[in-house]
Amino acid sequence: MTITITAFERSPDGGKGLARDTRVRWALEEVGQPYEVRLVSFRAMKEPAHLALHPFGQIPTYEEGGLALFETGAIVFHIAQRHAGLLPADAHARARAITWMFAALSTVEPPILELGTARILEGDKPWTRERLPLVEGRVRDRLKQLSARLGNADWLDGAFSAGDLMMVSVLLRLRSSGILDEYPNLAAYVARGEARAAYKRAFADQAAINTRP
Ligand code: GTB
């Protein structure tokens, strides 16, 4: 059955791979599943046809036969459950890998998104100068804890899993802030994720769309 995902017609990041279709592309590359991409404009995302797939009018979505999904956590989990390569066979190890997916999305991503909001969307507000150090502090708190847990390991729990795919995807958003480099083991962890052949293919495919003239 053909898998079709949606992505920005042109991502505002100009091909840096920060829009969330990249993590879905990466998961599909890791498990070796071919897929098609339907590009959508900001306007089309808010129209009924897309809203039927995604109630919040966002990308990415995932369609496969009669199944339509939204939310990258659910999409990557579905891919990882359906195909070998992203979740361990051992039941406990599998549950822990899934826990790391949730940790990435529920515990680590929110302060990182908040930092993006504070810097970009609220950067011109008079109170941002006071608020920014608080938001940065919350990001550092999380990174310090994550860094302590990762230690010298390559991945969060044994072999690379969907938990690492999600965590690396979330941490990538921080690179431009410089904060990631304050935690050398996390910076190296993200670099290991980016060095994977599957990530490189996913990145190149989104870049081909978002850097075209
Ligand atoms: N929780 C949802 C998920 O994980 O799937 C969040 C989906 C989401 O935020 N989608 C964004 C979107 O469609 C694109 S990824 N936004 C349009 C809208 O809401 O109208 C977020 C994103 C956008 C742009 C950049 N960038 O340019 O750097 C990075 C990330």
Side-chain angles (χ1 to χ4, degrees):
M1 247 175 302
T2 307
I3 294 171
T4 304
I5 69 167
T6 51
F8 282 133
E9 191 172 55
R10 188 171 286 269
S11 174
D13 74 357
K16 291 199 185 86
L18 299 177
R20 286 183 178 80
D21 57 295
T22 303
R23 54 182 78 164
V24 174
R25 292 170 181 272
W26 185 8
L28 288 166
E29 292 289 350
E30 288 284 351
V31 302
Q33 282 299 303
Y35 62 97
E36 291 178 0
V37 183
R38 192 170 62 250
L39 301 177
V40 287
S41 64
F42 275 94
R43 203 187 59 193
M45 279 193 278
K46 310 300 175 200
E47 286 173 356
H50 190 76
L51 287 170
L53 292 172
H54 197 309
F56 307 114
Q58 297 183 316
I59 60 96
T61 57
Y62 176 101
E63 291 159 83
E64 183 184 16
L67 176 69
L69 296 175
F70 60 96
E71 285 296 332
T72 52
I75 296 170
V76 171
F77 183 48
H78 170 77
I79 295 166
Q81 273 196 308
R82 185 71 70 91
H83 306 283
L86 279 172
L87 286 174
D90 173 76
H92 283 191
R94 196 176 180 91
R96 288 196 303 271
I98 294 165
T99 301
W100 278 116
M101 288 184 68
F102 276 89
L105 295 174
S106 308
T107 304
V108 179
E109 190 168 50
I112 292 175
L113 294 181
E114 195 54 33
L115 180 61
T117 302
R119 285 196 165 170
I120 299 162
L121 298 183
E122 300 168 353
D124 59 348
K125 300 283 186 277
W127 32 264
T128 289
R129 253 161 52 121
E130 271 186 80
R131 181 164 180 262
L132 201 52
L134 302 175
V135 179
E136 288 176 344
R138 288 196 280 271
V139 171
R140 288 191 174 94
D141 287 346
R142 284 287 175 257
L143 295 198
K144 190 173 162 204
Q145 294 162 325
L146 185 65
S147 169
R149 172 54 79 99
L150 180 66
N152 294 322
D154 279 354
W155 306 113
L156 287 165
D157 192 313
F160 176 84
S161 77
D164 295 298
L165 183 150
M166 207 52 97
M167 192 65 81
V168 168
S169 299
V170 161
L171 294 175
L172 269 167
R173 280 283 275 277
L174 267 182
R175 177 167 286 138
S176 63
S177 72
I179 295 180
L180 187 63
D181 292 327
E182 296 171 21
Y183 305 84
N185 68 334
L186 293 184
Y189 170 65
V190 170
R192 264 191 300 282
E194 291 175 297
R196 292 180 71 83
Y199 177 83
K200 286 185 183 169
R201 287 194 295 274
F203 183 90
D205 286 350
Q206 67 74 34
I209 290 166
N210 292 310
T211 60
R212 70 194 190 284

